[in-house]
């Protein structure tokens, strides 16, 4: 055979886009276990028994580098779809809609692109939904 196959696989170029990055943390100690998690940074889990179980929360890192860790300080499930609505990304951070009972206080936390933990609380208004703005800590009734 004289015809030579040139092996230029076009699909190998798809690796130029970076994989979705996540942050992972264990519920009982969110701040001390916070770590990066992605296709290239797997999460190493320790062997556990039923009594020493660990609950890991995985949260996506937003395109601008922020990660919303939700109610990591107070709840087993940090980012509940019942509690939180759409995240809107801004130039300096992001905002998220939080729902709850009027008068309920929601503890909100996020990790900034440089790894700082930003936390504040919002009280749910009469209407039942508040827009929380990171990093400023504003609570805007929706």
């Amino acid at each position: 055979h004289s015809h030579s196959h040139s092996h230029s696989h076009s699909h190998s170029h798809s690796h130029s886009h970076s994989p979705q990055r996540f942050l992972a943390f264990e519920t009982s100690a969110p701040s001390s276990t916070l770590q990066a998690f992605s296709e290239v940074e797997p999460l190493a889990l320790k062997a556990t028994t039923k009594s020493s179980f660990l609950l890991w929360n995985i949260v996506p890192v937003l395109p601008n580098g922020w990660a919303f860790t939700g109610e990591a300080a107070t709840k087993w499930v940090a980012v509940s779809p019942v509690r939180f609505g759409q995240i809107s990304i801004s130039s300096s951070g992001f905002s998220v809609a939080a729902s709850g009972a009027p008068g309920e206080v929601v503890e909100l936390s996020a990790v900034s692109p440089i790894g700082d933990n930003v936390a504040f609380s919002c009280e749910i208004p009469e209407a039942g939904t508040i827009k929380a703005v990171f990093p400023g800590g504003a609570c805007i009734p929706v």
Side-chain angles (χ1 to χ4, degrees):
H1 292 326
S2 60
H3 58 274
S4 62
H5 286 297
S6 64
H7 281 291
S8 61
H9 289 299
S10 57
H11 63 258
S12 65
H13 282 295
S14 64
H15 264 296
S16 57
H17 80 277
S18 54
Q20 168 67 54
R21 287 165 50 235
F22 296 88
L23 287 180
F25 55 91
E26 207 284 312
T27 300
S28 57
S31 53
S32 61
T33 58
L34 194 68
Q35 58 190 273
F37 173 65
S38 71
E39 286 170 33
V40 293
E41 296 165 294
L43 186 60
L45 297 177
K46 292 192 197 74
T48 56
T49 62
K50 268 199 189 110
S51 58
S52 72
F53 77 94
L54 298 171
L55 177 71
W56 285 86
N57 276 284
I58 309 283
V59 295
V61 176
L62 303 174
N64 62 0
W66 280 81
F68 178 53
T69 50
E71 299 174 278
T74 54
K75 295 277 201 296
W76 281 100
V77 178
V79 185
S80 162
V82 177
R83 167 78 83 190
F84 297 110
Q86 191 61 45
I87 290 179
S88 307
I89 295 170
S90 67
S91 53
S92 57
F94 69 95
S95 63
V96 61
S99 309
E104 187 181 357
V105 174
V106 186
E107 305 270 345
L108 300 157
S109 62
V111 178
S112 79
I114 56 169
D116 285 340
N117 195 50
V118 179
F120 60 93
S121 56
C122 285
E123 186 175 321
I124 303 292
E126 203 55 46
T129 305
I130 194 109
K131 189 166 121 178
V133 183
F134 286 87
C139 304
I140 304 160
V142 182

